[in-house]
Amino acid sequence: MNQAQPVWKSLIGQEVAVAKLSDAARSARRILAAQGTGAERIDADRSAMSHAWLITGPPGSGRSNAAKAFAAALQCVGEEPGCGVCPGCRTTMLETNGDVHFVRTQKTIISVDSARGLVNRAQASPSQGRWRVILIEDADRLNEQAANALLKAIEEPPERTVWLLCAPSSEDMIQTIRSRCRHLVLRIPSVHAVAKLLMQEGIADEATALEAARAAQSHIGRARGLAKDPEARRHRRDIITAPAKVRSVGEAVFAAENLWKTAKADADARTKETDARERAELLRVLGLEESAQSTRIARAQLRQLEEEQKRRSRRALTDELDRALVDLLSIYRDVLMVQLNADQELINSDLAALVHELAQESTPRQTMARVSAIEQARRRLLGNGQAQLVLEAMTVSLRPWA
């Protein structure tokens, strides 16, 4: 395999995926060169270069980074697709290329109206004569109506339009979408690969980089945040150690309440600035001041915005709680490794004392029961269960067995 080009450098541990995307970008270049010439190899190149891709992988695997790098390679005018220095690569990586449209949302769903807008955008020819790329992050948030609205456009797109859909797994997309896309699966990079990246970026020394990479379970974005911020590492420890230390029903209820409050504060901090900016922009468009008397139509639009922001806030809270529970699961994964004398590095090496304490006071069967309780809580939260009650039931289940 040829050495990865600059746009691929952020895709740590994804050599197989990079090779496939690089080959597809070369085929895309040959397709453009062959158009109108009747060249025979164009059919083979079309087979390698699909007009629709579904890029999947666990959180932290780099789905959106892979899609962006591929979009840059498609727009590249350098000697080898993905050179990283030509105008096509640089503008795409900076998200300023007029032919590459990025779709990302903090809302719970991508609506059918948004999907129809993407279909209209996809019909336009590329302004720079290469490819029109529609890149949808979190494509799993397309509701059924929105996904159905995209079907025809994905199945029979204009000649030089490419759809890039990113989702955690293919099962998160409806079957009719899956069947119309070429599927590319990313894997989680190793802890040591992520730590090496953090060191290369000058973010942390080796010990801190390894601790952050393990704690983030190889999620590159989270690892960067933990490596940069000692307070973030302390915050994570506080969130996950309290539920693991409960010894009574009262302590369990208190730990659940604190977990919910902390997650709520973190979620509010994530959405507060965006909410304020959106409201100010809507008021500007409506020609109103914050304190001005609004018309009936303006009030309706403001209510609609508030409802959308409430849905986003609920999603942010669910995301924060799920992240905390995934971290909590890592504690019991470590406990089980100790109990089974498995030759595996601890994810939470900084919490080794707690891990060994929990391992000594319980059996592997009890540990697995606690893992099941946490997984059930995750499913109930994602299913819109009442958060505080779900957390209380979970933390009660984490107490030492009588």
Side-chain angles (χ1 to χ4, degrees):
M1 184 185 73
N2 293 334
Q3 182 177 2
Q5 298 300 314
V7 296
W8 313 112
K9 284 186 176 179
S10 64
L11 302 180
I12 304 301
Q14 307 294 351
E15 291 80 9
V16 173
V18 168
K20 290 180 179 179
L21 293 175
S22 296
D23 288 344
R26 295 187 195 99
S27 293
R29 180 172 289 190
R30 288 192 292 269
I31 289 171
L32 292 183
Q35 283 183 345
T37 69
E40 294 181 0
R41 69 179 304 171
I42 192 170
D43 288 338
D45 286 326
R46 286 193 183 281
S47 177
M49 173 53 204
S50 174
H51 60 273
W53 294 73
L54 175 58
I55 302 175
T56 66
S61 57
R63 299 184 301 261
S64 58
N65 287 339
K68 182 192 287 191
F70 184 39
L74 292 176
Q75 306 298 353
C76 180
V77 296
E79 182 176 348
E80 179 73 8
C83 71
V85 295
C86 74
C89 284
R90 287 189 285 106
T91 56
T92 301
M93 298 306 285
L94 292 171
E95 302 187 11
T96 59
N97 191 302
D99 289 332
V100 182
H101 183 59
F102 293 87
V103 181
R104 52 175 64 98
T105 183
Q106 293 179 320
K107 298 178 182 178
T108 305
I109 62 170
I110 299 175
S111 69
V112 65
D113 288 339
S114 297
R116 288 170 180 156
L118 296 177
V119 171
N120 292 333
R121 181 182 288 269
Q123 303 307 307
S125 299
S127 60
Q128 298 172 11
R130 302 195 72 80
W131 299 91
R132 169 75 60 184
V133 181
I134 310 294
L135 193 166
I136 306 180
E137 298 182 10
D138 300 315
D140 53 304
R141 297 191 186 187
L142 288 160
N143 64 18
E144 186 173 358
Q145 285 181 309
N148 287 328
L150 295 183
L151 281 178
K152 187 68 173 178
I154 289 177
E155 185 175 21
E156 298 178 7
E159 194 170 46
R160 285 187 288 180
T161 292
V162 178
W163 292 86
L164 305 179
L165 311 182
C166 303
S169 72
S170 60
E171 287 71 24
D172 292 311
M173 305 299 299
I174 63 173
Q175 172 59 31
T176 46
I177 289 284
R178 295 202 304 265
S179 64
R180 288 161 171 77
C181 297
R182 182 176 178 185
H183 189 192
L184 182 72
V185 181
L186 302 185
R187 64 182 186 180
I188 287 287
S190 71
V191 165
H192 290 278
V194 175
K196 182 179 179 180
L197 174 66
L198 299 181
M199 289 186 285
Q200 289 174 341
E201 293 177 342
I203 292 175
D205 57 30
E206 182 177 7
T208 302
L210 279 170
E211 178 186 332
R214 289 193 188 102
Q217 299 182 59
S218 293
H219 188 302
I220 296 174
R222 288 202 66 200
R224 283 197 183 101
L226 291 171
K228 289 178 180 178
D229 188 357
E231 179 62 22
R233 299 196 293 276
R234 185 199 64 76
H235 185 59
R236 174 185 178 275
R237 285 195 295 270
D238 289 347
I239 286 177
I240 64 177
T241 54
K245 290 180 177 179
V246 297
R247 293 296 181 269
S248 67
V249 172
E251 288 179 1
V253 172
F254 182 73
E257 182 180 10
N258 280 345
L259 178 57
W260 183 86
K261 286 181 177 178
T262 301
K264 182 71 166 59
D266 290 344
D268 289 346
R270 280 174 51 190
T271 60
K272 182 178 180 180
E273 183 178 343
T274 302
D275 288 352
R277 184 173 64 251
E278 287 177 344
R279 182 178 178 85
E281 176 61 18
L282 179 58
L283 289 171
R284 185 191 68 77
V285 170
L286 295 172
L288 297 173
E289 298 292 337
E290 184 69 46
S291 59
Q293 182 70 29
S294 56
T295 65
R296 180 174 60 83
I297 295 176
R299 288 196 297 272
Q301 290 182 294
L302 285 169
R303 281 196 300 271
Q304 181 179 359
L305 175 63
E306 289 168 358
E307 288 301 315
E308 290 177 353
Q309 290 177 342
K310 287 178 182 178
R311 286 193 291 269
R312 180 169 60 205
S313 178
R314 288 193 293 270
R315 175 74 188 217
L317 176 58
T318 300
D319 289 346
E320 289 292 338
L321 288 172
D322 190 62
R323 179 182 301 174
L325 297 192
V326 168
D327 286 338
L328 186 59
L329 277 172
S330 72
I331 288 282
Y332 291 102
R333 175 268 185 194
D334 286 345
V335 170
L336 192 62
M337 292 302 100
V338 171
Q339 290 173 329
L340 299 178
N341 294 316
D343 186 20
Q344 297 285 334
E345 293 181 328
L346 296 182
I347 293 174
N348 301 281
S349 55
D350 56 324
L351 296 172
L354 174 61
V355 168
H356 282 86
E357 177 186 342
L358 293 172
Q360 290 172 1
E361 70 174 19
S362 62
T363 66
R365 181 186 175 193
Q366 291 168 332
T367 300
M368 288 305 301
R370 289 167 176 169
V371 168
S372 295
I374 299 170
E375 288 286 14
Q376 183 183 41
R378 291 184 68 201
R379 289 191 296 271
R380 292 175 65 189
L381 287 171
L382 293 174
N384 295 319
Q386 211 289 325
Q388 288 171 287
L389 294 178
V390 170
L391 295 175
E392 286 180 10
M394 180 199 72
T395 52
V396 167
S397 298
L398 300 180
R399 295 174 302 147
W401 288 19

